[in-house]
Amino acid sequence: MSVTPTQAGGPVRPRLDPLPPTEPEIHEGLPPGWGAGLAGRLAFWLAVAFSLFQLWAAAYGTLPSQIVRAMHVAFLLLLGFGLVGNLVAKTRGGQLFFWGLGVLGFCTGLYQWMEYNDLIRRTGFLNQADLIMGTVLIVLVFDGARRLMGWPLAVIAGVFLAYCFLGQHLPAPFIHRGYDFDQIVEHFAFGTEGIYGSPIYVSSAYIFIFVVFAAFLERAGMLNLFNDFALGMVGARRGGPAQVAVLSSALMGTISGSGVANVVASGQFTIPMMKKSGFKPAFAGGVEATASMGGQIMPPVMGAVAFIMAETLNVPYAAVVQAAIVPAVLYFGVVFWMVWLQSGRDDLKGLAKSSLPNPWHAVRDQWPLVLPLAALVYLLFAGYTPIFAGTMGLALVTVLILGAPLAAMIGPFAFRMVFWIALGLAAASFLRFGVDLLMIVIVGLILACAAFKGTRPTIGIIRDALAQGARNALPVGMACAIVGIVIGTLTLTGIASTFIGAIIAIGQNNLFLSLVLTMLTCLVLGMGIPTIPNYIITSSLAGPALLELGVPLLVSHMFVFYFGIMADLTPPVALACFAAAPIAKSSGLKISMQAIRLAAAGFIIPFMAVYTPSLMLQDGGPIAEAWGYPVEVVYVLFKTVLGVGMGGIAVVSYLWDRTTLAERGLALAAAVSLILAMPWTDQAGFALAAVFLVVHWLRTRRARVAA
């Protein structure tokens, strides 16, 4: 069900409809649904309980962090194995087996909770029960990750775990001193550097909250607002349907944590529209995949990596957003540019303007949906913690959903406005009086909705969003749990220093080669694992090495992050492209080839940022010293835009008309010159770009006159 505002503007009124049949539930690794009968209802309510536990822990924070992490993993295992039993198991016995594994996994969390103080005292001297529960936890995390995320991530983590047991038998430089079974189990299952390490902390503290927040906004109708706004803004322009796909995916990326999920959600609407307008199926799928993956670099959520990066680097969240904002805008700007060029080459027009919604009417009619997102952004940039900001944003969207049907029952418009103003002031009072008052407001709204028959279905929206948010968080949470094995291996054995030393040795002679090796590592890892674990693993290895080579730490982490995203567009795996394949009815490989063309900026911008960090609004270089920092930022931005613009023309072979081979060569030479950071290449690039523009304009002008 969804809540949408009234068409008359002002306060929202409820429209309690089933979700459109074309909008699928987003899952990774599991079929849709919760399962049949009692087991299905049990899984559904477990998901609700999971969300409520996490929200309570985030809002009040009375439990020690280790217990919250343990219970987070416990719920992941219980719900994950329960859904595997309900949706994958073929027999009743198989269903009971998986539920048994889930209960056993949940017991590992309860054991950590009940034995918390004693486990601290037994550090280094675990008893037999501790070792059994720790071993069970490690085995279940591997099996759960394999079933929810597939084999690649489990195999990678398994190789790292095997290295802990067998590394003492390897030749130098990979040899280590060897570790006992007890020491390995304690490190991975009870400390804060293994399964319960930094990734699972971020999952339990930040990611889960924002995934649930996105689920609430989607249930409230935010996806419809994004689509209406994108249609009205760019639908009538050249290549309008593809431009709509880019803009709606960029907007959706501000709240969603999964690029693949964006493909499935937005693609159901945008891909058929593009195909109907004349775009080839592979190109339509490539546009959607490229735009949806780009949503992960669009603040404020940035696929949840922003919060992991801020935690890892111990920098404010605002610093991460500052580094990401310009490259994110450039990424989508280039995709718009590539679509515009391809549409001109294929002579594809926009949609009829009379058939499109007015974008500002869509905002006017549905403006309340923007308020929770605006509050979230304000709180994040005002210095509040992501936990607080996410929890409060979620609470505000809950107030909006619950208040809508109650406001609709109030007759006169003036009274409805008084109701909304009073409710808004009460909700905003949390900044002064704390979270308790906001919780009282929400409980009061729930009781009020329960009192009237016509408003009771709204409570179901909240219940369903809580359950769906927990389910959407499953793959991310399990990925963070098993990637703790990798991070734990790095800290236990010190193998990271060997890898770092190798990169430094290469980079002393050629920084560019070190960057290429880091890029290839990200792309290869990304063939089988999602962006978040890819970023965590690669940044742990390459980040410190690039810092030693003079690359600012935040820039090096952003470099790794960008190529983790590009991996989902790069053959042969290209998860985002294969997710778009059944919708586009085209080959995932063909879609991937189109996506690489469209995402050229995603491959170029990280390299440019390393050599000119001001592109990510970091420290300036010689231009800043001579002319001031703003001048350098403007210059670098202009150079980058012109460079990737020329590159797009060379790839598509079109600007005002199809380019000749010589003109295409000029555009490519200009792009390469502007991208390189060598003496005189900028000047050569500007000159080549000017020559291309003059030659191409004169030729196309003569052709038009002759025609």
Side-chain angles (χ1 to χ4, degrees), residues 39 42 52 119 133 135 150 170 192 203 213 226 260 314 322 335 342 358 362 366 450 474 504 506 599 657:
L42 178 59
L52 291 175
L119 283 170
M133 295 304 290
T135 304
L170 295 177
T192 57
S203 176
F213 177 70
F226 287 158
V260 176
N314 194 28
Q322 175 183 306
V335 178
Q342 189 69 44
N358 186 310
Q366 305 183 63
L474 269 180
I504 292 173
I506 295 170
D657 199 348

Side-chain angles (χ1 to χ4, degrees), residues 152 524 526-529 567-579 588-589 592:
V524 171
M527 288 180 183
I529 65 176
D568 277 341
L569 301 175
T570 307
V573 178
L575 294 177
C577 299
F578 279 89
L589 185 59
S592 178

Side-chain angles (χ1 to χ4, degrees), residues 369-390:
L369 294 175
V370 182
L371 295 179
L373 186 59
L376 171 69
V377 173
Y378 166 77
L379 291 172
L380 287 170
F381 281 94
Y384 292 92
T385 66
I387 300 177
F388 181 82

Side-chain angles (χ1 to χ4, degrees), residues 355-372:
S355 66
L356 300 176
N358 186 310
W360 306 114
H361 288 178
V363 174
R364 181 198 66 190
D365 296 342
Q366 305 183 63
W367 62 267
L369 294 175
V370 182
L371 295 179

Side-chain angles (χ1 to χ4, degrees), residues 176-370:
H176 60 64
R177 64 181 179 83
Y179 305 95
D180 295 333
F181 179 81
D182 295 10
Q183 187 177 0
I184 292 173
V185 171
E186 179 174 8
H187 185 76
F188 286 115
F190 292 97
T192 57
E193 294 182 348
I195 291 173
Y196 299 139
S198 178
I200 209 65
Y201 164 71
V202 176
S203 176
S204 63
Y206 305 156
I207 296 176
F208 191 96
I209 303 299
F210 283 88
V211 171
V212 175
F213 177 70
F216 268 69
L217 283 177
E218 288 180 32
R219 292 277 170 171
M222 183 63 90
L223 185 58
N224 294 331
L225 172 58
F226 287 158
N227 286 337
D228 287 347
F229 183 78
L231 273 170
M233 285 295 293
V234 297
R237 299 184 180 182
R238 189 169 86 187
Q243 307 282 25
V244 169
V246 177
L247 182 56
S248 64
S249 294
L251 293 171
M252 190 64 190
T254 61
I255 63 170
S256 174
S258 171
V260 176
N262 284 357
V263 171
V264 181
S266 301
Q268 296 285 342
F269 162 70
T270 58
I271 293 177
M273 183 173 63
M274 283 186 275
K275 290 174 62 180
K276 187 177 179 181
S277 298
F279 286 96
K280 294 177 181 178
F283 186 80
V287 169
E288 181 56 49
T290 306
S292 291
M293 291 309 300
Q296 290 196 77
I297 61 176
M298 181 61 71
V301 177
M302 292 175 57
V305 169
F307 308 112
I308 297 177
M309 195 180 298
E311 183 71 24
T312 303
L313 301 180
N314 194 28
V315 298
Y317 162 85
V320 177
V321 172
Q322 175 183 306
I325 188 66
V326 172
V329 173
L330 284 173
Y331 180 96
F332 282 102
V334 171
V335 178
F336 272 115
W337 175 244
M338 297 292 285
V339 167
W340 189 83
L341 292 174
Q342 189 69 44
S343 302
R345 178 186 170 96
D346 297 338
D347 195 26
L348 298 174
K349 308 300 181 185
L351 300 170
K353 195 162 187 177
S354 59
S355 66
L356 300 176
N358 186 310
W360 306 114
H361 288 178
V363 174
R364 181 198 66 190
D365 296 342
Q366 305 183 63
W367 62 267
L369 294 175
V370 182

